[in-house]
Amino acid sequence: MSASYRVDGMTCQGCARSVTKAIQAVSPTMDVAVDLEAGLVTVTGPLDGVQVKDAVEGAGFDFIGPV
Amino acid sequence: MSASYRVDGMTCQGCARSVTKAIQAVSPTMDVAVDLEAGLVTVTGPLDGVQVKDAVEGAGFDFIGPV
């Protein structure tokens, strides 16, 4: 299952890595792709949207919602 | 108790916010100050170095050690 979410506040590769690690801390097998310019996080794996939201917000970024 | 740690990989305010939130997720009352240019995180509160290290690494940054 793959889904994309709009996430605000990511401005550099450090941010992208932080979001990726936060999601993979909950589910290590999640595939996470970050598009910094578009402000999009695309995930493939077992987590649902609420779990992704919690991980993103826990890492200090603004989870806007699915796109 | 206040302590400063060298943390690599923080390059913007998004990174600084992410590190701050990750530490405060473990201990909400921790005061966290990030010096991006120096690559330093200064914390004041109850967490020990191992807990700060775990939070920083969990957020995707490289914890180097105390300074």
Side-chain angles (χ1 to χ4, degrees):
Chain A
M1 197 187 83
S2 181
S4 293
Y5 303 96
R6 169 89 185 283
V7 175
D8 280 359
M10 304 182 299
T11 52
C12 74
Q13 287 302 326
C15 297
R17 195 165 68 128
S18 180
V19 166
T20 300
K21 291 268 278 194
I23 293 169
Q24 289 178 339
V26 184
S27 179
T29 62
M30 285 294 273
D31 184 68
V32 181
V34 176
D35 182 333
L36 281 176
E37 286 193 21
L40 289 179
V41 176
T42 300
V43 296
T44 307
L47 292 190
D48 64 25
V50 173
Q51 292 169 304
V52 173
K53 177 178 188 291
D54 287 347
V56 166
E57 291 181 343
F61 300 94
D62 297 322
F63 184 92
I64 308 301
V67 293
Chain B
M1 199 187 82
S2 180
S4 293
Y5 303 96
R6 170 88 185 283
V7 174
D8 280 359
M10 304 182 299
T11 52
C12 73
Q13 287 302 326
C15 297
R17 195 165 68 129
S18 180
V19 166
T20 301
K21 292 268 280 193
I23 293 170
Q24 290 178 339
V26 184
S27 179
T29 61
M30 285 295 273
D31 184 69
V32 181
V34 176
D35 182 334
L36 281 176
E37 285 192 21
L40 290 178
V41 176
T42 300
V43 296
T44 306
L47 292 190
D48 65 25
V50 172
Q51 293 169 303
V52 174
K53 178 178 188 289
D54 288 347
V56 167
E57 291 180 343
F61 300 95
D62 298 323
F63 184 92
I64 307 301
V67 294

